[in-house]
Amino acid sequence: MDCELCHGDGGTVLWQNDLCRVVSVDEPGLPGFLRVILNRHEREMTDLAERDRAAFMAVVFAVEAHVRRCLEPDKMNLASLGNMTPHLHWHVIPRWRDDRHFPGPVWSPARHDAPVPEARAAACARMAATLAGALGPARA
Amino acid sequence: MDCELCHGDGGTVLWQNDLCRVVSVDEPGLPGFLRVILNRHEREMTDLAERDRAAFMAVVFAVEAHVRRCLEPDKMNLASLGNMTPHLHWHVIPRWRDDRHFPGPVWSPARHDAPVPEARAAACARMAATLAGALGPARA
């Protein structure tokens, strides 16, 4: 099967355990965009056993908590879509009122192309660098 | 506070308990689109106590399971965005390869405007009509 999330990491791996990994993705204009990707190939959340589903969501919410602590964004967006790559992965996206797509979803047309404020980009880099410590080996 | 999900149901209520409600929403070209809305006003999933968060997600996944059983869509999409209405609600959206936006998210520009197949619209109506029985009073 030709699944890019089976054959590649899908981004820069910041943390991982047996079940899933957290990667940072380079989306222009959307700093701090992370994905939580199931390691094995499954299509839907309701294909998972309840225990794995809960463990996977616990990672998603731990990531959201870390992103909020570090960045204090105006809103968090969470989504599991997978229409193009039907291998379970969650988008975890901090949003700001002045970002390119706000208040639309990040998949709506951009409203401007102003550069990301430097202080925000720096905070996002620190957030990524400290994620593994925040999630901790206890979750591995 | 002027929150439309505090002051209104946000759709046709199909099921509810003390924590949340499931509504059907009339989105042209997207039959079977449901939302699971927290009854009280909270912004983010990580603002909820772990117990409420798990109970809320259990409803989201029970809804996904019912939608899949009834409709066998090509993919399920789940999202908690709330940029315009920052009151927790999950979009639960069955997707088909021939729907207006596929494989884009439903918030991407439509690719066509062909009518929804009649059999699919009828199956979606049956899905909505049987949701309460599937979720059951035990979850209330």
Side-chain angles (χ1 to χ4, degrees):
Chain A
M1 198 170 44
D2 194 26
C3 171
E4 66 180 281
L5 295 180
C6 286
H7 293 293
D9 289 335
T12 304
V13 176
L14 303 178
W15 180 90
Q16 59 188 312
N17 68 5
D18 286 347
L19 183 66
C20 62
R21 58 191 184 268
V22 182
V23 307
S24 63
V25 289
D26 190 16
E27 292 281 348
L30 295 167
F33 194 140
L34 304 179
R35 290 195 183 109
V36 184
I37 302 170
L38 197 75
N39 290 332
R40 71 178 188 271
H41 190 91
E42 300 281 359
R43 287 181 71 84
E44 306 286 5
M45 288 301 294
T46 47
D47 288 332
L48 299 183
E50 200 162 325
R51 185 189 174 130
D52 280 350
R53 193 154 67 214
F56 191 30
M57 293 312 299
V59 175
V60 172
F61 295 131
V63 169
E64 174 178 295
H66 177 68
V67 169
R68 291 182 70 195
R69 265 193 311 269
C70 292
L71 303 176
E72 297 183 351
D74 294 316
K75 191 70 190 70
M76 289 300 302
N77 288 179
L78 301 175
S80 170
L81 308 176
N83 303 324
M84 306 243 242
T85 307
H87 173 136
L88 278 172
H89 60 281
W90 281 90
H91 305 275
V92 180
I93 316 167
R95 303 296 309 278
W96 285 271
R97 284 183 219 293
D98 63 1
D99 76 35
R100 292 187 187 182
H101 303 266
F102 203 91
V106 300
W107 305 281
S108 64
R111 290 157 194 244
H112 66 79
D113 63 353
V116 172
E118 276 182 40
R120 186 177 304 162
C124 288
R126 285 193 300 274
M127 178 279 287
T130 54
L131 180 88
L135 265 61
R139 291 176 183 276
Chain B
M1 196 170 42
D2 195 26
C3 171
E4 67 180 280
L5 295 180
C6 286
H7 293 294
D9 289 334
T12 303
V13 177
L14 303 177
W15 180 91
Q16 58 189 312
N17 67 5
D18 287 346
L19 182 67
C20 62
R21 58 191 183 269
V22 183
V23 308
S24 64
V25 290
D26 189 16
E27 292 280 350
L30 295 168
F33 194 140
L34 303 180
R35 290 195 183 109
V36 184
I37 303 171
L38 197 75
N39 290 331
R40 69 178 190 271
H41 189 91
E42 300 281 359
R43 287 180 71 84
E44 306 286 6
M45 289 302 293
T46 46
D47 288 331
L48 299 183
E50 199 162 326
R51 184 188 174 132
D52 280 350
R53 193 154 67 214
F56 191 30
M57 293 311 299
V59 175
V60 171
F61 295 132
V63 169
E64 174 178 293
H66 178 68
V67 169
R68 292 182 69 195
R69 265 192 310 268
C70 293
L71 302 176
E72 298 184 349
D74 294 317
K75 190 70 190 68
M76 288 301 302
N77 287 179
L78 302 175
S80 170
L81 307 176
N83 303 323
M84 306 243 241
T85 307
H87 173 136
L88 279 171
H89 60 281
W90 281 90
H91 305 274
V92 180
I93 316 166
R95 303 296 309 277
W96 285 271
R97 284 181 219 293
D98 63 0
D99 75 37
R100 291 187 187 183
H101 303 266
F102 203 91
V106 300
W107 305 280
S108 64
R111 290 157 194 246
H112 66 78
D113 63 353
V116 171
E118 277 183 39
R120 186 178 304 162
C124 288
R126 284 193 300 275
M127 179 277 289
T130 54
L131 181 88
L135 265 61
R139 292 177 183 274

